Amino acid sequence: MRDLTYPPVVLTAKTLFRLRGWRFSITGTEHVPRAGGAVLACNHIGYADFVFDGLAAQPAKRLVRFMAKKEAFDHPVGGPILRSMHHIPVDRSAGADSLDAAVDYCRRGEIVGIFPEATISRSYEIKDVKSGAVRIAAQAGVPLIPVVVFGTQRVTTKGHGLALPWRLPIAISVGPPMHPDGSDPDAQTAQMRDAMVRLLDETLQRYPDDPAGQWWAPARIGGTAPTPQEAQRLDTEERAARAARKAERDG
């Protein structure tokens, strides 16, 4: 694939990070293959996660093609940029098409990034995950690599606008590859989630800022973020409100 846009975007992002003095702690990058296809299964805690997840592949000199909701590609400015970077639109009404596209990318030697939680976790814990990452890796015959970021929610996330704090610490952890064969997608998806939970625990342990009383920290480590149960309730209420607004418009 020709990449005229992607490298300058990466360079611009890295320049911003340096100007703000952001402190990155990245482990496990040796697990990202230097050649051939792979799936990165990433947690989702902020709107800019894909920017930071891509850094996990930089030591291997690889670019990641992220799966993102179709609406992002409809944006008059962002859409052309996303397409030029060869990211993959996901139409939730025709999910099989995006899965097939991701499998094709992997078979052609590309790294595909996917957020198996589908939506942002308000608790900053690992939510329930969908089986798409496992199915893509199994069909393409490529490794599935769990990735966890923490700190990215402090840039922008649900309920919090854009912020560029000075010397922000961001932790990125890459786990050992898994090799799903598709024989039991549900069980292998559960194994993937377990790996992501363990990786998050390791990431939280090395995160340098004190979480006590902080909105960006999970409740179980002393933060004020919603618990997973509270976050699920908020998600349910948000979906119901969105459905009601759509029904009112359509009516």
Side-chain angles (χ1 to χ4, degrees), residues 4-186:
L4 301 179
T5 306
Y6 214 146
V9 169
V10 172
L11 179 60
T12 300
K14 287 183 174 180
T15 300
L16 172 63
F17 302 156
R18 285 195 296 271
L19 290 174
R20 299 305 301 157
W22 288 1
R23 298 168 289 155
F24 286 87
S25 170
I26 308 178
T27 63
T29 57
E30 69 276 8
H31 297 306
V32 179
R34 292 187 170 270
V39 174
L40 300 188
C42 312
N43 69 323
H44 201 10
I45 55 175
Y47 294 119
D49 285 344
F50 69 96
V51 175
F52 301 98
D53 287 310
L55 295 177
Q58 286 290 295
K61 299 181 179 179
R62 305 294 303 276
L63 298 174
V64 182
R65 318 299 176 175
F66 285 96
M67 303 183 73
K69 61 183 181 180
K70 177 182 176 293
E71 289 79 3
F73 290 79
D74 295 334
H75 191 276
V77 176
I81 295 174
L82 292 173
R83 284 189 288 272
S84 71
M85 296 167 74
H86 306 292
H87 295 312
I88 303 170
V90 177
D91 184 348
R92 291 175 182 172
S93 65
D97 291 342
S98 56
L99 188 147
D100 290 344
V103 170
D104 179 62
Y105 269 42
C106 288
R107 287 174 174 166
R108 291 157 59 188
E110 298 289 340
I111 296 180
V112 170
I114 184 171
F115 300 104
E117 297 166 286
T119 57
I120 286 176
S121 171
R122 299 173 190 262
S123 68
Y124 314 127
E125 304 277 10
I126 306 300
K127 299 170 61 174
D128 290 339
V129 298
K130 299 184 182 299
S131 63
V134 163
R135 295 178 187 277
I136 292 167
Q139 289 185 33
V142 300
L144 171 64
I145 303 168
V147 179
V148 161
V149 295
F150 192 80
T152 60
Q153 72 274 34
R154 298 172 68 177
V155 179
T156 177
T157 191
K158 283 190 175 183
H160 297 273
L162 178 65
L164 301 173
W166 174 248
R167 290 184 58 76
L168 173 68
I170 292 177
I172 304 171
S173 304
V174 184
M178 305 171 64
H179 299 278
D181 59 10
S183 59
D184 191 339
D186 291 339

Side-chain angles (χ1 to χ4, degrees), residues 153-219:
Q153 72 274 34
R154 298 172 68 177
V155 179
T156 177
T157 191
K158 283 190 175 183
H160 297 273
L162 178 65
L164 301 173
W166 174 248
R167 290 184 58 76
L168 173 68
I170 292 177
I172 304 171
S173 304
V174 184
M178 305 171 64
H179 299 278
D181 59 10
S183 59
D184 191 339
D186 291 339
Q188 291 168 357
T189 297
Q191 291 169 2
M192 176 189 70
R193 184 182 183 278
D194 288 344
M196 295 175 73
V197 169
R198 290 193 298 270
L199 207 56
L200 176 61
D201 288 342
E202 296 169 7
T203 307
L204 292 175
Q205 288 175 13
R206 76 170 197 275
Y207 195 73
D209 284 4
D210 184 358
Q214 300 296 334
W215 68 263
W216 47 261

Side-chain angles (χ1 to χ4, degrees), residues 222-244:
T224 61
T227 65
Q229 294 76 18
E230 292 168 341
Q232 186 175 34
R233 175 181 57 79
L234 291 170
D235 287 345
T236 300
E237 291 174 354
E238 182 181 59
R239 285 193 298 271
R242 189 185 307 123

